[in-house]
Each structure stands twice: as structure tokens, then as C-alpha cells.
Amino acid sequence: MGYTNPMRLISKTIATALFLGLMSFSVNAASLVMFDRKGCPWCAKWHAEIGVEAYNAAPEGRAAPLRVLDVASPRPKDLKGIGGVVGTPTFVLVENGREIDRMVGYPGKQVFFGKVQLMLDKLSGADKQYKTIVVQ
């Protein structure tokens, strides 16, 4: 067994950690923001038919995790640049704080995932590896 230089091992460990940290940052640069309103029947329908957990587990959710915000609440600092939201639900695809696309309303499960896939295609560097197949 040979001698392993501890400084070299530490350098490799740090380099690996930095690489993995940068990779996770770039993967999570996009998110889908759902503007919700208490008492909104279409929001309730979306939550009943899809829901946050199921969306985030789908390939689309891994590409752009969902954040749900009340439309009447103040916007978080990273979403101040998003234009006016009137109707609910409104789904806004955001990448690095910039609005990429939006969908107003909930058109049903099948159309929702199709539209989200089209929205994700607009992301910079989109690899188009997401495809949730919805069978009724």
C-alpha cells in the first residue's frame, strides 16, 4: 500500500464538493411558481387532480420544482420582477429570477402537462428529458 498525501486528498474532496454544489445550483435555477387564491375552484381542482407532491415527483417537477404562493401575499425578493398576476391559478416559469413563460388557468391534467412541457422547452439549455404521460 502506498502513501496518500493528505493535502492532495483534501484538495480532491474540496474540488468534488464545489463541482457538485455548482451542478445542484444550475439544476435548480428554474422553478414553476403557482399563484393560488383561497377559495379558487380551479386551484382546488389542480390540487385535487395533480397536487404539489405529484408534480414535483414528475419529470417536469424535477426540471422546474413548484412553488405555491398566495396571489394576495407580498412577493419574495427573487420574484419581484414577475409582472402582474390577476387570474388564478397562474403558473409562471421562472429561471434565475426572470419570467420565461406563463399559463393562466388550469386546463385539466393532460393539457397542463403538455403546456408545462412547452414552457420548459424555452429554458436555456433545456435537455427535453421530461415527459409525463397522462392516461385518462
Side-chain angles (χ1 to χ4, degrees):
M1 300 227 162
Y3 173 75
T4 302
N5 181 342
M7 290 307 290
R8 187 170 185 204
L9 182 60
I10 290 170
S11 294
K12 281 185 172 182
T13 304
I14 291 171
T16 301
L18 286 172
F19 174 75
L20 292 174
L22 288 173
M23 291 299 292
S24 67
F25 176 77
S26 64
V27 168
N28 293 325
S31 63
L32 184 67
V33 181
M34 176 186 184
F35 288 93
D36 200 343
R37 182 185 317 260
K38 187 176 181 171
C40 165
W42 291 104
C43 300
K45 185 173 173 69
W46 183 89
H47 285 289
E49 291 183 2
I50 298 174
V52 176
E53 286 183 32
Y55 171 80
N56 283 335
E60 294 82 358
R62 290 191 297 278
L66 185 72
R67 296 169 63 183
V68 179
L69 301 174
D70 187 291
V71 72
S73 296
R75 299 250 171 87
K77 187 182 272 187
D78 64 323
L79 299 177
K80 294 283 186 194
I82 293 178
V85 176
V86 179
T88 56
T90 294
F91 299 89
V92 180
L93 180 62
V94 178
E95 183 177 39
N96 298 321
R98 185 174 63 92
E99 180 174 336
I100 304 300
D101 200 1
R102 71 172 56 195
M103 169 182 11
V104 179
Y106 174 59
K109 194 173 191 176
Q110 186 91 25
V111 175
F112 172 81
F113 277 105
K115 174 64 175 164
V116 170
Q117 289 167 8
L118 293 173
M119 292 167 68
L120 290 171
D121 286 347
K122 296 179 181 179
L123 290 174
S124 60
D127 63 5
K128 301 181 184 177
Q129 294 300 311
Y130 39 83
K131 281 290 186 223
T132 295
I133 307 298
V134 180
V135 179
Q136 300 295 337

